Amino acid sequence: MNMMIYYGLSLLFATSISLQSNVDQLRKNYLAASQDESICKQEIERIKDSSGESPIEMAYHGAYHMLWAQYLNAPLSKLNSFKKGKKLMDSALQKRYGDPEIHFLRLTIQQHAPGILKYNTNIQEDVDQITKHWESLPSAPVKKQVKDFLTSNQLLHDTQLKKLQI
């Protein structure tokens, strides 16, 4: 019986490490994917082969698909890629509303999506959720990335900016 518990715990731990390394890789390449088609494609391919998606993986998967739309030529292909990403992002938010990293991902897309898509109605909501749940962001590098984005896009007022300590 003890051997079975040990096996179960080690399997759970290995799965957790695999999931975390996958998410770390998605985080690491996200900014570069917005400017490099090959990185974006590589991450979409890698995540679609993932065995199961956590809400955070689902959000990154969606964000990468929405980024991918910019690299496509045919208008219908662009729209379909964006819609697929939006659906994944919406599902991630339904599963884990309030997660500041998921709100950050949606915010980055909303901030730069073409106006014709009308995907910019939740900008203030996302900023509010990010600042409200700031302390639950997973690491200092993620916090820095989020803070840099928020400040460079002038999305914070003074009281919000003071709250964002790294």
Side-chain angles (χ1 to χ4, degrees):
M1 183 68 163
N2 284 343
M3 185 62 119
M4 208 159 182
I5 291 172
Y6 173 76
Y7 176 74
L9 288 175
S10 62
L11 184 60
L12 180 64
F13 183 69
T15 302
S16 175
I17 288 173
S18 173
L19 172 65
Q20 189 57 43
S21 66
N22 192 37
V23 171
D24 288 343
Q25 190 69 30
L26 292 167
R27 285 179 182 132
K28 177 181 164 213
N29 288 331
Y30 184 65
L31 180 60
S34 69
Q35 299 171 7
D36 186 327
E37 180 179 353
S38 64
I39 292 174
C40 191
K41 183 177 177 85
Q42 165 193 315
E43 290 306 310
I44 289 172
E45 289 299 317
R46 195 168 55 76
I47 197 165
K48 84 176 185 183
D49 294 335
S50 178
S51 60
E53 289 187 342
S54 67
I56 195 70
E57 282 181 302
M58 191 179 295
Y60 273 101
H61 195 173
Y64 276 106
H65 270 285
M66 288 188 270
L67 287 175
W68 181 245
Q70 72 181 329
Y71 299 117
L72 300 173
N73 292 320
L76 187 57
S77 295
K78 287 176 174 277
L79 184 60
N80 287 339
S81 184
F82 194 87
K83 282 181 167 179
K84 181 176 183 174
K86 183 182 179 304
K87 185 177 179 181
L88 287 162
M89 186 69 70
D90 290 348
S91 292
L93 278 165
Q94 280 182 340
K95 290 182 179 192
R96 197 180 293 164
Y97 184 82
D99 183 306
E101 190 169 6
I102 295 173
H103 284 279
F104 166 68
L105 292 170
R106 182 172 74 172
L107 177 62
T108 63
I109 299 298
Q110 288 188 92
Q111 192 68 20
H112 299 289
I116 195 167
L117 294 172
K118 295 184 171 82
Y119 193 67
N120 60 2
T121 59
N122 303 102
I123 289 174
Q124 191 56 53
E125 173 189 352
D126 289 340
V127 171
D128 292 345
Q129 289 300 316
I130 291 165
T131 57
K132 180 179 179 181
H133 300 284
W134 177 255
E135 291 304 317
S136 65
L137 282 167
S139 66
V142 172
K143 285 181 177 181
K144 181 179 180 343
Q145 182 182 18
V146 172
K147 185 176 182 179
D148 288 350
F149 180 83
L150 292 170
T151 55
S152 69
N153 286 280
Q154 300 175 337
L155 294 169
L156 299 170
H157 52 75
D158 289 341
T159 56
Q160 288 173 315
L161 186 56
K162 288 177 184 173
K163 182 179 179 178
L164 306 186
Q165 300 300 317
I166 299 177

